[in-house]
Amino acid sequence: MPHLRLETVGMDTLIVRLFDSIEESNMGWVLAADSALRQVFGAALIDLVPSYTTLLLHYDVTMLEESEARARVSQALENLSPDNGQQGQLHEVPVWYDDSVGPELVPIATRLGISVEALIERHCAHDYCVFALGFAPGYAFMGVLEDALTTPRLKTPRQKVAAGSVGIADRQTAIYPSRSPGGWNILGRTPLTLFGRNAAGEPSSLFMPGDRVRFVSVSREEFLRQGGDVTPLEERS
């Protein structure tokens, strides 16, 4: 059950905090809160960003004072129940797991005392929930990794990580949608495009909060057939 707390983070922004720890079971509550808040705030809502345990609520101060915004949050969430019936889209994501594009693949397998093949199987064995989008357009934070795969971020982040790189950090997994700096442990690469523009020319992300992602191991040949770039990651640094 959520424990509602409101935090002021700006003259027009509140954090609606529902939980203190990251769990997949949170998402039904977060999605329900997202829907209820959008309905109650209506035209006074500028933006609402759901995350693992919170929602960032940006409202129009020309329409609402903070006290009224807080009252509307309480009204929206008074009889909240989890929206477990709202299923996001399931995405099957092809990944070429190889140490040339996934330099942490072998070290993590060695640390766990298992084969690279077993590590790949374990990373692919779970459907991951998309908790939030952030860091870069289309960058989806997903979880939760099994405890044994929990791995700290790199001590020194890379200056350049290739687009499509699939990584893990702590209890999360993610895919870099574009070339960028990053400190996650890279296991492989997907040929999919994660962020672009839709038919109307508007920015569009492949993933949305509440979606689920299933990684599927593919061969180098299949990766290339789908348009993947096999340039080794370290050659991009």
Side-chain angles (χ1 to χ4, degrees):
M1 291 287 292
H3 300 285
L4 174 63
R5 299 194 301 278
L6 290 179
E7 302 168 14
T8 302
V9 292
M11 64 176 294
D12 57 358
T13 308
L14 297 171
I15 285 181
V16 181
R17 187 173 299 280
L18 301 179
F19 300 96
D20 294 317
S21 61
I22 300 172
E23 303 293 343
E24 289 186 51
S25 58
N26 294 354
M27 282 310 297
W29 294 97
V30 172
L31 293 174
D34 182 276
S35 177
L37 289 167
R38 291 182 187 278
Q39 182 175 355
V40 167
F41 274 80
L45 183 67
I46 294 176
D47 197 13
L48 185 61
V49 183
S51 186
Y52 309 93
T53 58
T54 64
L55 299 98
L56 183 70
L57 191 154
H58 183 195
Y59 60 92
D60 189 340
V61 293
T62 66
M63 299 178 67
L64 297 176
E65 294 184 355
E66 182 176 335
S67 60
E68 187 175 357
R70 284 174 169 265
R72 290 198 182 191
V73 172
S74 297
Q75 175 191 346
L77 305 186
E78 182 177 5
N79 296 309
L80 191 70
S81 58
D83 189 359
N84 294 322
Q86 180 174 328
Q87 296 293 326
Q89 184 176 351
L90 174 63
H91 304 267
E92 289 198 351
V93 175
V95 180
W96 178 43
Y97 293 91
D98 188 84
D99 59 0
S100 66
V101 295
E104 277 72 59
L105 189 63
V106 173
I108 291 176
T110 300
R111 175 179 65 80
L112 294 176
I114 60 177
S115 66
V116 167
E117 291 74 20
L119 174 57
I120 294 169
E121 287 179 5
R122 290 169 73 164
H123 188 248
C124 293
H126 184 67
D127 290 351
Y128 298 98
C129 178
V130 176
F131 287 111
L133 301 178
F135 173 65
Y139 192 102
F141 292 89
M142 297 176 268
V144 179
L145 286 175
E146 62 171 286
D147 289 342
L149 297 185
T150 300
T151 306
R153 288 171 170 79
L154 301 177
K155 292 182 178 179
T156 303
R158 292 183 172 89
Q159 294 184 357
K160 298 172 184 175
V161 178
S165 293
V166 177
I168 61 175
D170 301 322
R171 298 181 68 199
Q172 302 170 90
T173 188
I175 309 169
Y176 287 79
S178 56
R179 187 179 183 186
S180 67
W184 289 41
N185 302 272
I186 307 302
L187 304 182
R189 191 178 297 168
T190 181
L192 298 185
T193 298
L194 304 187
F195 186 81
R197 293 189 177 275
N198 60 23
E202 302 166 333
S204 177
S205 172
L206 178 62
F207 305 133
M208 295 298 293
D211 284 359
R212 304 192 74 80
V213 173
R214 178 180 301 164
F215 294 108
V216 179
S217 178
V218 298
S219 66
R220 184 179 189 273
E221 291 70 27
E222 178 61 18
F223 177 74
L224 284 169
R225 189 189 70 78
Q226 295 189 37
D229 179 1
V230 297
T231 303
L233 181 63
E234 302 303 345
E235 289 187 12
R236 295 170 171 269
S237 301

